[in-house]
Coordinates of all heavy atoms in Angstrom, one line a residue:
M425 N 124.5 142.0 87.1 CA 123.4 141.2 87.5 C 123.8 139.7 87.6 O 124.3 139.2 86.6 CB 122.2 141.3 86.5 CG 121.0 140.6 87.0 SD 120.1 141.7 88.2 CE 118.5 141.8 87.5
M426 N 123.6 139.1 88.7 CA 124.0 137.7 88.9 C 122.7 136.9 88.6 O 121.6 137.2 89.1 CB 124.5 137.4 90.3 CG 124.8 136.0 90.6 SD 125.2 135.8 92.4 CE 126.8 136.3 92.4
K427 N 122.9 135.8 87.9 CA 121.7 134.9 87.6 C 121.8 133.7 88.4 O 122.7 132.9 88.4 CB 121.8 134.6 86.1 CG 120.4 134.2 85.6 CD 120.3 134.4 84.1 CE 120.8 133.1 83.4 NZ 120.8 133.3 81.9
I428 N 120.8 133.4 89.3 CA 120.7 132.2 90.0 C 119.5 131.4 89.4 O 118.4 131.9 89.5 CB 120.5 132.4 91.5 CG1 121.6 133.3 92.1 CG2 120.5 131.1 92.3 CD1 121.5 133.6 93.6
T429 N 119.8 130.2 88.9 CA 118.8 129.3 88.4 C 118.7 128.1 89.2 O 119.7 127.3 89.4 CB 119.2 129.0 87.0 OG1 119.6 130.2 86.3 CG2 118.0 128.4 86.2
V430 N 117.4 127.8 89.7 CA 117.2 126.6 90.5 C 116.4 125.6 89.7 O 115.4 125.9 89.1 CB 116.4 127.0 91.8 CG1 116.2 125.7 92.7 CG2 117.2 128.1 92.6
C431 N 116.9 124.4 89.7 CA 116.2 123.3 89.0 C 114.9 123.0 89.7 O 114.9 122.6 90.9 CB 117.1 122.1 88.9 SG 116.2 120.7 88.0
I432 N 113.8 123.0 88.9 CA 112.5 122.6 89.5 C 112.0 121.4 88.8 O 110.8 121.1 88.7 CB 111.5 123.7 89.5 CG1 111.3 124.4 88.2 CG2 112.0 124.8 90.6 CD1 110.2 125.3 88.0
G433 N 112.9 120.6 88.1 CA 112.6 119.5 87.5 C 112.1 118.4 88.5 O 112.2 118.6 89.7
S434 N 111.5 117.3 88.1 CA 110.8 116.4 89.1 C 111.8 115.8 90.1 O 111.4 115.8 91.3 CB 110.0 115.3 88.4 OG 110.9 114.6 87.5
A435 N 113.0 115.4 89.8 CA 113.9 114.9 90.8 C 114.3 115.9 91.7 O 114.3 115.7 93.0 CB 115.2 114.4 90.1
C436 N 114.6 117.1 91.3 CA 115.0 118.2 92.2 C 113.8 118.6 93.0 O 113.9 119.0 94.3 CB 115.7 119.4 91.5 SG 117.3 119.0 91.0
H437 N 112.6 118.6 92.4 CA 111.4 119.0 93.2 C 111.2 118.1 94.4 O 111.0 118.6 95.5 CB 110.1 118.9 92.3 CG 108.9 119.2 92.9 ND1 108.5 120.5 93.3 CD2 108.0 118.4 93.4 CE1 107.3 120.5 93.9 NE2 107.0 119.2 94.0
L438 N 111.4 116.8 94.2 CA 111.3 115.8 95.3 C 112.4 116.1 96.3 O 112.2 115.8 97.5 CB 111.4 114.4 94.7 CG 110.2 114.0 94.0 CD1 110.5 112.6 93.4 CD2 108.9 113.9 94.8
K439 N 113.5 116.7 95.9 CA 114.6 116.9 96.9 C 114.5 118.2 97.6 O 115.3 118.7 98.2 CB 115.9 116.7 96.2 CG 116.3 115.3 95.8 CD 117.6 115.1 95.4 CE 117.7 115.1 93.8 NZ 119.0 114.9 93.3
G440 N 113.3 118.9 97.2 CA 113.0 120.2 98.0 C 113.4 121.5 97.3 O 113.7 122.5 97.9
S441 N 113.3 121.5 96.0 CA 113.7 122.7 95.2 C 112.8 124.0 95.6 O 113.2 125.0 95.6 CB 113.8 122.5 93.8 OG 112.6 122.1 93.2
R442 N 111.6 123.6 95.8 CA 110.6 124.7 96.2 C 111.1 125.5 97.4 O 111.1 126.6 97.6 CB 109.2 124.2 96.4 CG 108.2 125.4 96.7 CD 107.0 124.9 97.3 NE 106.3 123.8 96.6 CZ 105.1 123.9 96.1 NH1 104.4 124.9 96.4 NH2 104.6 122.9 95.4
E443 N 111.5 124.6 98.5 CA 112.0 125.3 99.7 C 113.3 126.0 99.4 O 113.6 127.0 100.0 CB 112.2 124.2 100.8 CG 112.4 124.7 102.1 CD 112.4 123.7 103.1 OE1 112.1 122.5 103.0 OE2 112.8 124.0 104.3
I444 N 114.1 125.5 98.6 CA 115.4 126.1 98.3 C 115.1 127.5 97.7 O 115.7 128.6 98.0 CB 116.3 125.2 97.2 CG1 116.7 124.0 97.9 CG2 117.4 126.1 96.7 CD1 117.6 124.1 99.0
V445 N 114.1 127.6 96.7 CA 113.8 128.9 96.1 C 113.2 129.9 97.2 O 113.6 131.0 97.2 CB 112.7 128.7 95.0 CG1 112.1 130.0 94.5 CG2 113.2 127.9 93.8
E446 N 112.4 129.3 98.1 CA 111.8 130.2 99.1 C 112.9 130.7 100.0 O 112.9 131.9 100.4 CB 110.8 129.4 100.0 CG 109.5 129.3 99.2 CD 108.5 128.3 99.8 OE1 108.8 127.7 100.8 OE2 107.4 128.1 99.2
R447 N 113.9 129.8 100.4 CA 114.9 130.3 101.3 C 115.8 131.3 100.5 O 116.2 132.3 101.2 CB 115.7 129.1 101.7 CG 115.0 128.2 102.8 CD 115.9 127.3 103.5 NE 115.1 126.5 104.3 CZ 115.5 125.9 105.4 NH1 116.7 126.0 105.8 NH2 114.7 125.1 106.1
L448 N 116.1 131.1 99.3 CA 117.0 132.0 98.6 C 116.1 133.3 98.5 O 116.7 134.5 98.7 CB 117.2 131.5 97.1 CG 118.3 130.5 97.1 CD1 118.4 129.9 95.7 CD2 119.7 131.0 97.5
Q449 N 115.0 133.4 98.2 CA 114.1 134.6 98.1 C 114.2 135.3 99.4 O 114.4 136.6 99.4 CB 112.6 134.3 97.8 CG 112.4 134.0 96.3 CD 111.0 133.5 96.1 OE1 110.3 132.9 97.0 NE2 110.5 133.6 94.8
A450 N 114.1 134.6 100.5 CA 114.1 135.2 101.9 C 115.5 135.8 102.1 O 115.7 137.0 102.6 CB 113.8 134.3 103.0
L451 N 116.5 135.1 101.8 CA 117.9 135.6 102.0 C 118.3 136.9 101.1 O 118.9 137.8 101.6 CB 119.0 134.5 101.7 CG 118.9 133.3 102.7 CD1 119.7 132.1 102.1 CD2 119.6 133.7 104.0
I452 N 117.7 136.8 99.9 CA 117.9 137.9 99.0 C 117.3 139.2 99.5 O 117.9 140.3 99.6 CB 117.4 137.6 97.5 CG1 118.4 136.6 97.0 CG2 117.3 138.8 96.7 CD1 117.8 135.9 95.7
I453 N 116.1 139.0 100.1 CA 115.3 140.2 100.6 C 116.1 140.7 101.9 O 116.3 141.8 102.1 CB 113.9 139.8 100.9 CG1 113.1 139.6 99.7 CG2 113.2 140.8 101.8 CD1 111.8 139.0 99.8
K454 N 116.5 139.7 102.7 CA 117.1 140.1 104.0 C 118.5 140.8 103.7 O 118.8 141.8 104.4 CB 117.5 138.8 104.8 CG 118.0 138.9 106.1 CD 118.1 137.5 106.8 CE 119.1 137.6 107.8 NZ 119.5 136.1 108.2
Q455 N 119.1 140.4 102.6 CA 120.4 141.1 102.3 C 120.3 142.4 101.5 O 121.1 143.1 101.1 CB 121.4 140.1 101.6 CG 121.9 139.1 102.5 CD 122.8 139.5 103.5 OE1 123.4 140.5 103.4 NE2 122.9 138.7 104.6
N456 N 118.9 142.6 101.1 CA 118.6 143.8 100.3 C 119.4 143.8 99.0 O 119.9 144.8 98.5 CB 118.9 145.1 101.1 CG 118.1 146.2 100.6 OD1 117.1 146.0 99.9 ND2 118.5 147.4 100.9
I457 N 119.4 142.6 98.2 CA 120.2 142.6 97.0 C 119.3 142.2 95.8 O 119.8 141.7 94.9 CB 121.4 141.6 97.2 CG1 121.0 140.2 97.7 CG2 122.5 142.2 98.1 CD1 122.0 139.2 97.7
A458 N 118.0 142.3 96.0 CA 117.1 141.9 95.0 C 117.4 142.6 93.6 O 117.1 142.0 92.5 CB 115.6 142.2 95.3
D459 N 117.9 143.8 93.6 CA 118.2 144.5 92.4 C 119.5 143.9 91.7 O 119.6 144.2 90.5 CB 118.6 146.0 92.6 CG 117.3 146.8 93.1 OD1 116.2 146.2 93.0 OD2 117.5 147.9 93.6
H460 N 120.3 143.1 92.3 CA 121.4 142.5 91.8 C 121.3 141.1 91.3 O 122.3 140.6 90.8 CB 122.6 142.7 92.7 CG 122.8 144.1 93.1 ND1 123.4 145.1 92.3 CD2 122.5 144.8 94.3 CE1 123.4 146.2 93.0 NE2 122.8 146.1 94.1
I461 N 120.1 140.5 91.6 CA 120.1 139.1 91.5 C 118.8 138.7 90.7 O 117.7 139.2 91.0 CB 120.0 138.3 92.8 CG1 121.3 138.5 93.5 CG2 119.8 136.8 92.6 CD1 121.9 137.5 94.4
E462 N 119.0 137.9 89.7 CA 117.9 137.4 88.9 C 117.6 135.9 89.3 O 118.5 135.0 89.1 CB 118.1 137.5 87.4 CG 116.9 137.1 86.6 CD 117.4 137.1 85.1 OE1 118.5 137.2 84.8 OE2 116.4 136.9 84.3
L463 N 116.5 135.6 90.0 CA 116.3 134.2 90.5 C 115.3 133.6 89.6 O 114.2 134.1 89.5 CB 115.8 134.3 92.0 CG 115.6 133.0 92.6 CD1 116.8 132.1 92.8 CD2 114.9 133.2 94.1
K464 N 115.7 132.4 89.1 CA 114.8 131.8 88.1 C 114.7 130.3 88.4 O 115.6 129.7 89.0 CB 115.2 132.0 86.7 CG 115.1 133.4 86.2 CD 115.2 133.5 84.6 CE 116.0 132.6 84.0 NZ 116.2 132.9 82.5
G465 N 113.6 129.7 87.8 CA 113.5 128.2 88.0 C 113.8 127.7 86.5 O 113.7 128.4 85.6
T466 N 114.2 126.5 86.5 CA 114.4 125.9 85.1 C 114.0 124.3 85.2 O 114.0 123.8 86.3 CB 115.9 125.9 84.7 OG1 116.0 125.4 83.5 CG2 116.9 125.2 85.7
F467 N 113.8 123.8 84.1 CA 113.6 122.3 84.1 C 115.0 121.6 84.2 O 116.0 122.2 84.3 CB 112.9 122.0 82.8 CG 111.5 122.5 82.7 CD1 111.1 123.5 81.7 CD2 110.5 122.2 83.7 CE1 109.9 124.0 81.8 CE2 109.2 122.7 83.6 CZ 108.9 123.6 82.7
C468 N 114.8 120.3 84.3 CA 116.0 119.5 84.6 C 117.3 119.9 84.0 O 117.4 120.1 82.8 CB 115.8 118.0 84.1 SG 117.1 116.9 84.5
L469 N 118.3 120.0 84.9 CA 119.7 120.6 84.4 C 120.6 119.4 84.1 O 121.7 119.6 83.8 CB 120.3 121.4 85.6 CG 119.7 122.8 85.8 CD1 120.3 123.4 87.0 CD2 119.9 123.7 84.6
G470 N 120.0 118.2 84.2 CA 120.7 117.0 83.7 C 121.7 116.6 84.8 O 122.6 115.7 84.5
N471 N 121.4 116.9 86.0 CA 122.3 116.6 87.2 C 121.6 115.8 88.3 O 121.9 115.8 89.4 CB 122.9 117.8 87.9 CG 124.2 118.3 87.2 OD1 125.0 117.4 86.6 ND2 124.5 119.5 87.3
C472 N 120.5 115.2 87.9 CA 119.6 114.5 88.8 C 120.3 113.4 89.7 O 119.9 113.3 90.8 CB 118.5 113.7 88.2 SG 117.7 114.6 86.9
A473 N 121.4 112.8 89.2 CA 122.0 111.8 89.9 C 122.8 112.4 91.1 O 123.1 111.6 92.1 CB 123.0 111.0 89.0
K474 N 123.1 113.6 91.1 CA 123.8 114.2 92.2 C 123.0 114.4 93.4 O 121.8 114.5 93.3 CB 124.4 115.5 91.7 CG 125.4 115.4 90.6 CD 126.6 116.3 90.9 CE 127.7 116.1 90.0 NZ 128.0 117.4 89.3
E475 N 123.6 114.4 94.6 CA 122.8 114.6 95.8 C 122.4 116.1 95.9 O 123.1 117.0 95.4 CB 123.8 114.4 96.9 CG 123.1 113.7 98.1 CD 124.1 113.4 99.2 OE1 124.9 112.5 98.9 OE2 124.0 114.0 100.3
G476 N 121.2 116.3 96.3 CA 120.7 117.7 96.5 C 120.1 118.2 95.3 O 120.0 117.7 94.2
V477 N 119.7 119.5 95.4 CA 119.0 120.2 94.3 C 120.1 120.9 93.4 O 121.0 121.6 93.9 CB 118.0 121.2 94.9 CG1 117.5 122.2 93.9 CG2 117.0 120.6 95.8
S478 N 119.8 120.8 92.2 CA 120.8 121.4 91.2 C 120.5 122.8 91.0 O 119.3 123.3 91.0 CB 120.7 120.8 89.8 OG 121.0 119.4 89.9
I479 N 121.6 123.6 91.0 CA 121.4 125.0 91.0 C 122.6 125.7 90.2 O 123.6 125.0 90.0 CB 121.3 125.6 92.4 CG1 121.1 127.1 92.5 CG2 122.6 125.3 93.2 CD1 120.8 127.6 94.0
M480 N 122.3 126.7 89.5 CA 123.5 127.4 88.8 C 123.6 128.9 89.2 O 122.6 129.6 89.4 CB 123.2 127.4 87.3 CG 123.2 126.1 86.6 SD 122.8 126.2 84.9 CE 124.3 126.8 84.1
I481 N 124.8 129.3 89.3 CA 125.1 130.7 89.4 C 125.8 131.1 88.1 O 126.8 130.6 87.8 CB 126.0 131.0 90.6 CG1 125.4 130.7 91.9 CG2 126.4 132.5 90.5 CD1 126.2 131.1 93.1
D482 N 125.1 131.9 87.4 CA 125.5 132.3 86.0 C 125.8 130.9 85.3 O 124.8 130.2 85.2 CB 126.7 133.2 86.0 CG 126.4 134.6 86.7 OD1 125.2 135.0 86.5 OD2 127.2 135.1 87.4
D483 N 126.9 130.6 84.9 CA 127.2 129.4 84.1 C 127.7 128.2 84.9 O 128.1 127.2 84.4 CB 128.0 129.6 82.9 CG 127.3 130.6 81.9 OD1 126.1 130.5 81.9 OD2 128.0 131.4 81.3
Q484 N 127.8 128.3 86.2 CA 128.4 127.3 87.0 C 127.5 126.4 87.8 O 126.5 127.0 88.4 CB 129.4 128.0 88.0 CG 130.5 127.1 88.5 CD 131.5 127.9 89.3 OE1 131.5 129.2 89.4 NE2 132.3 127.2 90.1
Y485 N 127.6 125.1 87.8 CA 126.8 124.2 88.5 C 127.1 124.0 89.9 O 128.2 123.9 90.3 CB 126.8 122.8 87.7 CG 126.1 122.8 86.4 CD1 126.9 123.1 85.3 CD2 124.8 122.7 86.3 CE1 126.3 123.1 84.0 CE2 124.2 122.6 85.0 CZ 124.9 122.9 83.8 OH 124.3 122.9 82.7
F486 N 126.0 123.9 90.7 CA 126.3 123.5 92.2 C 125.1 122.5 92.5 O 124.2 122.4 91.8 CB 126.2 124.7 93.1 CG 127.3 125.7 92.9 CD1 127.0 126.8 91.9 CD2 128.5 125.7 93.5 CE1 128.0 127.7 91.7 CE2 129.4 126.7 93.3 CZ 129.2 127.7 92.4
N487 N 125.3 121.9 93.7 CA 124.2 121.2 94.3 C 124.1 121.6 95.7 O 125.0 121.6 96.5 CB 124.4 119.6 94.2 CG 124.2 119.2 92.7 OD1 125.1 119.3 91.9 ND2 123.1 118.6 92.5
V488 N 122.8 121.8 96.1 CA 122.5 122.4 97.4 C 121.4 121.7 98.1 O 120.7 120.9 97.5 CB 122.1 123.9 97.4 CG1 123.2 124.7 96.8 CG2 120.8 124.1 96.6
S489 N 121.4 121.7 99.4 CA 120.3 121.2 100.2 C 119.7 122.2 101.2 O 120.4 123.3 101.3 CB 120.8 120.0 101.0 OG 121.7 120.5 102.0
K490 N 118.6 121.9 101.8 CA 118.1 122.9 102.7 C 119.1 123.1 104.0 O 119.1 124.2 104.6 CB 116.7 122.7 103.1 CG 116.4 121.4 103.9 CD 114.9 121.3 104.1 CE 114.4 120.3 105.1 NZ 114.8 119.0 104.9
E491 N 119.8 122.1 104.2 CA 120.8 122.2 105.3 C 122.0 123.2 105.0 O 122.5 123.9 105.9 CB 121.4 120.9 105.7 CG 120.5 120.0 106.5 CD 119.4 119.3 105.5 OE1 119.7 119.2 104.4 OE2 118.3 119.0 106.1
N492 N 122.4 123.2 103.8 CA 123.6 124.0 103.4 C 123.3 125.3 102.6 O 124.2 126.0 102.2 CB 124.7 123.2 102.8 CG 124.4 122.8 101.3 OD1 123.4 123.4 100.7 ND2 125.1 121.8 100.8
I493 N 122.0 125.5 102.4 CA 121.7 126.6 101.4 C 122.2 128.0 102.0 O 122.6 128.9 101.2 CB 120.2 126.6 101.1 CG1 119.9 127.8 99.9 CG2 119.3 126.8 102.3 CD1 120.5 127.6 98.6
E494 N 122.1 128.2 103.3 CA 122.5 129.5 103.8 C 124.0 129.6 103.7 O 124.4 130.8 103.3 CB 122.0 129.6 105.2 CG 122.2 131.0 105.7 CD 121.3 131.4 106.8 OE1 120.3 130.7 107.2 OE2 121.4 132.6 107.3
H495 N 124.7 128.6 104.0 CA 126.1 128.6 103.9 C 126.5 128.9 102.4 O 127.3 129.7 102.1 CB 126.7 127.3 104.3 CG 128.2 127.2 104.2 ND1 129.0 127.8 105.1 CD2 129.0 126.5 103.4 CE1 130.3 127.5 104.8 NE2 130.2 126.8 103.7
F496 N 125.8 128.2 101.5 CA 126.1 128.4 100.0 C 125.8 129.8 99.7 O 126.5 130.4 98.9 CB 125.1 127.4 99.3 CG 125.1 127.7 97.8 CD1 126.0 127.2 96.9 CD2 124.1 128.5 97.3 CE1 126.0 127.4 95.6 CE2 124.1 128.8 95.9 CZ 125.0 128.2 95.1
F497 N 124.8 130.4 100.2 CA 124.4 131.8 99.9 C 125.5 132.7 100.3 O 126.0 133.6 99.6 CB 123.1 132.2 100.5 CG 122.6 133.5 100.2 CD1 121.9 133.7 99.0 CD2 122.8 134.5 101.1 CE1 121.4 135.0 98.7 CE2 122.3 135.8 100.8 CZ 121.6 136.0 99.6
N498 N 125.9 132.5 101.6 CA 127.0 133.4 102.1 C 128.3 133.2 101.4 O 129.0 134.2 101.0 CB 127.3 133.1 103.6 CG 126.0 133.5 104.4 OD1 125.3 134.3 104.0 ND2 125.9 132.8 105.5
E499 N 128.7 131.9 101.1 CA 130.0 131.7 100.5 C 130.0 132.0 99.0 O 131.0 132.5 98.4 CB 130.3 130.2 100.6 CG 130.6 129.9 102.1 CD 131.8 130.7 102.7 OE1 132.9 130.8 102.0 OE2 131.6 131.3 103.8
E500 N 128.9 131.6 98.3 CA 129.0 131.7 96.8 C 128.4 132.9 96.3 O 128.9 133.7 95.5 CB 128.4 130.5 96.2 CG 129.1 129.2 96.5 CD 130.5 129.0 95.9 OE1 130.8 129.8 95.1 OE2 131.2 128.2 96.5
V501 N 127.2 133.2 96.8 CA 126.4 134.4 96.2 C 127.0 135.7 96.8 O 127.3 136.6 96.0 CB 124.9 134.2 96.6 CG1 124.1 135.4 96.1 CG2 124.4 133.0 96.0
L502 N 127.0 135.9 98.1 CA 127.5 137.2 98.6 C 128.8 137.5 98.3 O 129.2 138.6 97.9 CB 127.2 137.2 100.2 CG 125.8 137.3 100.6 CD1 125.7 137.3 102.1 CD2 125.0 138.4 100.1
I503 N 129.7 136.5 98.4 CA 131.1 136.8 98.1 C 131.4 137.1 96.7 O 132.1 138.1 96.3 CB 132.0 135.7 98.6 CG1 132.1 135.7 100.2 CG2 133.4 135.7 98.0 CD1 132.8 134.6 100.8
R504 N 130.7 136.4 95.8 CA 130.8 136.7 94.3 C 130.3 138.1 94.0 O 130.8 138.8 93.2 CB 130.1 135.7 93.5 CG 130.8 134.4 93.2 CD 129.8 133.4 92.8 NE 130.5 132.1 93.0 CZ 130.9 131.4 92.0 NH1 130.6 131.7 90.8 NH2 131.5 130.2 92.2
L505 N 129.2 138.4 94.7 CA 128.5 139.6 94.4 C 129.4 140.8 94.7 O 129.5 141.8 94.1 CB 127.2 139.7 95.1 CG 126.0 140.5 94.5 CD1 125.7 140.1 93.2 CD2 124.8 140.5 95.4
K506 N 130.0 140.7 95.9 CA 130.9 141.7 96.4 C 132.2 141.8 95.4 O 132.6 142.9 95.3 CB 131.5 141.4 97.8 CG 130.4 141.8 98.8 CD 130.8 141.5 100.3 CE 129.7 141.5 101.2 NZ 129.9 140.7 102.4
A507 N 132.5 140.7 94.8 CA 133.8 140.8 93.9 C 133.4 141.3 92.6 O 134.3 141.7 91.9 CB 134.3 139.3 93.8
Q508 N 132.2 141.5 92.2 CA 131.8 142.0 90.9 C 132.0 143.4 90.7 O 131.9 144.2 91.6 CB 130.3 141.7 90.7 CG 130.1 140.3 90.1 CD 128.7 140.0 89.8 OE1 127.8 140.9 89.9 NE2 128.3 138.7 89.3
Ligands
FES182 S1 115.5 117.3 87.9 FE1 117.0 118.7 88.6 S2 118.8 118.1 87.6 FE2 117.3 116.8 86.9

C-alpha cells in the first residue's frame, strides 16, 4: 500500500491543496488503483516556504501544483507502484 499525504495546512490550502486532492482522487479512480493507495490529508508539513503544495509519498517529500500534478502522478505514483 502506497501512502500519499497532501498538506491541507493554511499555506497549502491557499495554494490549492483541495484541488490537488480532488485531482489525485480522480486520477486514482481513472487508473483503478484505489486498492493500492491510501490518500490522506495532513496539517502543515513544515514546508510552507516552498513553492506549491506539500505532499508526501510514503516518507518522501515533494511539492506539486495543479499544473504538474498529472505529470507527478504519472512519474512518481504510477512508476513507483509498478516497481513495488
Ligand atoms: S501549510 Fe503545507 S507545508 Fe505548511
Side-chain angles (χ1 to χ4, degrees):
M425 189 77 127
M426 177 188 279
K427 201 159 87 183
I428 302 179
T429 312
V430 181
C431 179
I432 52 168
S434 50
C436 288
H437 178 75
L438 290 174
K439 291 187 261 182
S441 58
R442 184 202 302 239
E443 192 171 348
I444 296 295
V445 170
E446 285 170 359
R447 288 196 186 204
L448 283 171
Q449 281 169 337
L451 289 163
I452 288 166
I453 289 167
K454 191 170 147 198
Q455 293 291 335
N456 201 19
I457 53 172
D459 290 349
H460 304 282
I461 299 211
E462 187 188 6
L463 182 63
K464 290 201 323 191
T466 182
F467 294 115
C468 180
L469 288 173
N471 272 335
C472 313
K474 294 224 175 123
E475 216 175 292
V477 174
S478 298
I479 184 170
M480 288 177 81
I481 294 184
D482 295 325
D483 296 329
Q484 202 176 347
Y485 289 92
F486 298 89
N487 286 78
V488 298
S489 67
K490 62 182 193 302
E491 286 77 24
N492 71 15
I493 185 64
E494 188 150 359
H495 180 74
F496 171 84
F497 184 82
N498 292 334
E499 293 297 312
E500 300 294 343
V501 177
L502 289 184
I503 286 175
R504 276 160 197 252
L505 208 58
K506 279 181 196 152
Q508 273 183 6

